[in-house]
Each structure stands twice: as structure tokens, then as C-alpha cells.
Amino acid sequence: LYPHLADVVRYIAERGLKPFVITNGVSLDRPTARELVRAGVKSFSIHVDATQDRPGWEGRNETDLNELRQSFADLIWEFRDVTCSFVATVTRGNLPEIGRVAEWALRNIPKVGHLSFVALRGVALEEGVDFYGGGRKLAPEEIPNRYDRAAEISITSEEMLDAIRAGVPGVTPCAYIGG
């Protein structure tokens, strides 16, 4: 956690803007949240999903992680005038479970103002395709977000909607971005 985050939040708030903190939540505890709210933060967006290496939550699936999401939603709810949202990266591995996350968010609608699912994107390493950067050919290990199979990074909005509807039948999305 950036050691001067509360000062940055205060600086933004003093200029009449509404500070928004995006976090994975690893360092977000009650004292930190209280300090940031006192500094003027108006919203937290918390990234929680099964792709993360999160201490104490290793090997958990999206349904299990709803417990962690709940603890963050309850924490932020204590401050009443601060909103809370969640983001989850969707992979082939957790796609079947995102309906349970949507179902959880719906049950917590007073506390959860927004939920976003972001399809995993990256570079598919394919035979006969070379990648260049800085004027030179890159070795595969130099390519960030690389995957051996294109299927891993080709999840569509329609696939995500079908998975969401498994948990919340009849849901209608409010936006599609990409995919």
C-alpha cells in the first residue's frame, strides 16, 4: 500500500473531486479504510477473483471468495456515504462460477453498487508468429500476459452473460465493453 495514500486522497478531495481507490484489498483493513474515508475517499473498487495469489485464500474458487467479498462489502458499508464495487477477471477456469458472484452481488445490492466482470486478455503464442519490441525479436518469456492456447483469452461477452444467467436467470446487462 502506498504509504502516502491518505495524503493523496485528501489532496484530491480538497480540490472538490471525489477520490476513488482501486485496490486488491490485501491491505484494506478497518483502520486503513477509516483513515481513507476521513481523508475524503468516496468509493472503493476491490478486485477479487480466483486468479489472484491472495494470502490465506489460496486455492479458493469464486464461490468461496464471496465470503471475502462480503467482508469488504460489510467493512465499506460501515461508512455509509462511501460506495463499494467489485471487479473480477474471468478466465476459462472461473467462467462457470461467475453466476454465483452475480447472485451474491444481487443479494447485497444495498452494499454493492457495481460489479464488473473483465474477460482475460493476453497474447496467444502460436507457431510461426514472432513478437518484436524495442527493435528486437522477443523471447516468449519476455512477453507479458502470454498464453499457449488462444482459447484461454477468447472469452466472449455472450459466454459471460450465459454464465451470469446461470446464477441470476433473466438478468440483462447494462453494458458490453469489448469481447
Side-chain angles (χ1 to χ4, degrees):
L1 185 66
Y2 179 63
H4 306 290
L5 184 57
D7 295 331
V8 172
V9 167
R10 189 173 298 102
Y11 177 86
I12 294 167
E14 286 170 353
R15 278 143 185 82
L17 301 173
K18 295 180 180 179
F20 182 89
V21 171
I22 301 172
T23 179
N24 63 10
V26 170
S27 298
L28 186 62
D29 55 17
R30 186 167 281 102
T32 302
R34 183 178 298 112
E35 179 184 17
L36 293 171
V37 169
R38 286 181 179 154
V41 77
K42 293 298 178 192
S43 185
F44 288 92
S45 179
I46 306 168
H47 183 183
V48 175
D49 64 54
T51 68
Q52 298 168 314
D53 293 325
R54 185 179 291 278
W57 294 88
E58 298 89 350
R60 303 290 189 93
N61 61 32
E62 296 302 335
T63 303
D64 294 340
L65 289 170
N66 282 339
E67 180 183 340
L68 178 61
R69 292 181 185 97
Q70 188 69 54
S71 68
F72 286 130
D74 292 344
L75 171 64
I76 303 307
W77 181 252
E78 292 177 21
F79 300 104
R80 300 293 181 205
D81 61 339
V82 177
T83 63
C84 181
S85 63
F86 289 89
V87 176
T89 301
V90 180
T91 67
R92 291 280 170 210
N94 68 357
L95 177 63
E97 290 190 81
I98 65 172
R100 292 186 191 113
V101 178
E103 183 181 31
W104 168 84
L106 188 61
R107 284 194 316 270
N108 283 278
I109 209 159
K111 297 179 181 180
V112 179
H114 177 87
L115 173 64
S116 288
F117 293 111
V118 180
L120 177 69
R121 294 294 182 246
V123 175
L125 300 179
E126 298 178 14
E127 188 70 35
V129 177
D130 295 327
F131 295 91
Y132 291 83
R136 66 178 182 79
K137 183 177 175 182
L138 299 175
E141 59 274 5
E142 295 179 283
I143 302 169
N145 300 319
R146 65 188 178 281
Y147 297 89
D148 293 330
R149 298 180 331 119
E152 292 298 320
I153 55 172
S154 63
I155 297 169
T156 66
S157 297
E158 290 82 6
E159 287 177 283
M160 291 194 299
L161 179 58
D162 289 344
I164 292 166
R165 284 184 172 154
V168 185
V171 71
T172 302
C174 64
Y176 286 106
I177 302 174

